Amino acid sequence: MERIYELSSCSRRGNEADSVKSEIQNSKSKIRVRLLTSAPTAHAFVLCLLFASGCSDTIPTGSLVLTQTPAHTQQTHPGSDVLDQRYPAGSRLILAVPPFKPGSIRVLSQGLVAAGSPLVCLSGRRVCFVGKSAPDAPWQIYEADLRGGSPRAVTSIEGGAMDPAMISASEWVFSSPVPKAGQTWNAQNPPALYVQSGGQSPRRLTFGTTAAVQPTVLRDGKILFVSSHPSEGAATAPNLGLFTMNRDGTELALFALDRDGAPLVYRPRELADGRVAFLASSCLAGEAEERPESVRMARPFRSRSPLFLFPTPRCRSVESDGEGGLLACFERGSESGGTSVLLHPGPLPLGEGERSALSRTAQRERFDQAQDQLLPLPAGEGRGEGERAGLQRAVQRGGSTAGSFAVYRVDASDGALREPILDDPAWHDIEAAPLIPRTPPSGHMSTVALNKSTGTILCLNANFTRQSETNGTSQPNAARIRVLAASTQRQQTVLGEVPLHSDGSFLVEVPADTPLGFELLDKGGNVLKKLPPSIWVRPGENRSCLGCHEPPNRSPRNARPIAANFPPAVLNSGLETLAQHSPSRSGGSAK
């Protein structure tokens, strides 16, 4: 049974409000509230009434949680961290209900000096986010009950916590510590991913030498996160990629973005249509998010393209809206001194069915051509109503002040941005997410054996590599593999060397939860290829790989590697050279 209450703007002053509140509290039915006025005070009254009733089911359909940061704020202190820059003092987490009037909000981070990164829990009744209780306090993850009450801290980890993502109803993953501003990718103690359940202590999941940040949990239960491709020496700027692993930290793998576009990526999110959306940028300054792009889950290394086939302003976040569309937070153009517009009156000229047929290169070329048409339109220039309706708002180029960010709803069929659904010019409205329950990700049986201190790595053919890694020239096959390890101070040590079998395979037992790297050596001991310490195995994990810098999206040949016929070479004894223990080294290839 569904019960509908109609409230007028005067309801807030009479016995009608108390009567409705009492009925809502005692009702077992589904409740819908219908407003007979659009006054912001009425929306605020209804929101307070529903929360006072203690029933989260009364939250209006279509409500959003989002971050609001002050649109005009002073520069943060030079010693601040990345979250201080992202969420300056006064930033807050809010609940906004349709029709998204300024008065129809509720602050969820009440009592905190700053907050951001909202994450709707699987039930749709709670929200997790990052916040800080005092200007000099570390950032921690907080939880707010949508039925009311003050937010409570769910982490108290040294160095702070950021980037929460839900694994299950009582388990979440996050990144820690919070790095200083501008030091995410060169910090001496880079952020790692941790998992925490209920009131238990956090457990570390990643053990690389570069940062692991901004995790999201895919529907299949894997954790997708952002990290840097390993590089030798001091790189001037990081080249980031998307990586996956199981929820226990096993089976680390590169998922997408292998040096094939803008080097910086942020906020990956799985969409309902089989794509993963993310924000890409070529500029590290301020770690500012820029343009939305995507890859397909089915072929992530061959499908990088713009998320939208029309030019977009700067973007701070993209999320599924739960109804097949997207919630995107774009920057609005400055209203003073002129507005930037797209001079093409409407969407890009795509024929029927052309959208799906465009190749990745054609999509990017079409997108770049359209971006080149973003030119400033002087204020007051005459435009016909029909043409003005087709012009898309975009970021103004030049020296003028940029506008605030607003929330847009975008459907896959849209050829241009519509008007925003939520825009408060006093705030940057960012990181909007729908307040809806979600299906829990698939589970995963852990193979980690905490009573062990080692794991194994099986390589099928160390000489299997991509052509680009050899600059198109042939190289001799490797004769041995040298295994490296890095300490917490990033000092490399040699665990040992192992001869390769005739098929290029090797099997080694190595220390667990330790950054590991490899060097391919020829017969004379010269280094042919090198992977700096960047991968790891968990205790008891049996990890395998196809080759060294092998091409992506490849399946192994259906043949048993020779190394699998022998026990692993143990490389945790400190010996500089070890041979794989086997009955015979001249047995030839196994069939």
Side-chain angles (χ1 to χ4, degrees), residues 121-123 126 128 143 166-172 198 247 440-441:
C121 296
L122 298 177
S123 66
R126 295 176 293 120
C128 287
E143 181 184 72
M166 294 300 298
I167 295 178
S168 65
S170 60
E171 190 174 35
W172 53 90
R247 62 177 61 185

Side-chain angles (χ1 to χ4, degrees), residues 76-86 178-188 191 235-238 266 284-288:
T76 54
H77 190 274
S80 61
D81 56 46
V82 294
L83 293 189
D84 290 327
Q85 287 195 337
R86 195 180 304 169
V178 179
K180 294 295 183 182
Q183 298 182 16
T184 300
W185 305 109
N186 57 9
Q188 185 65 32
T236 57
Y266 310 86
L284 189 62
E287 300 196 20

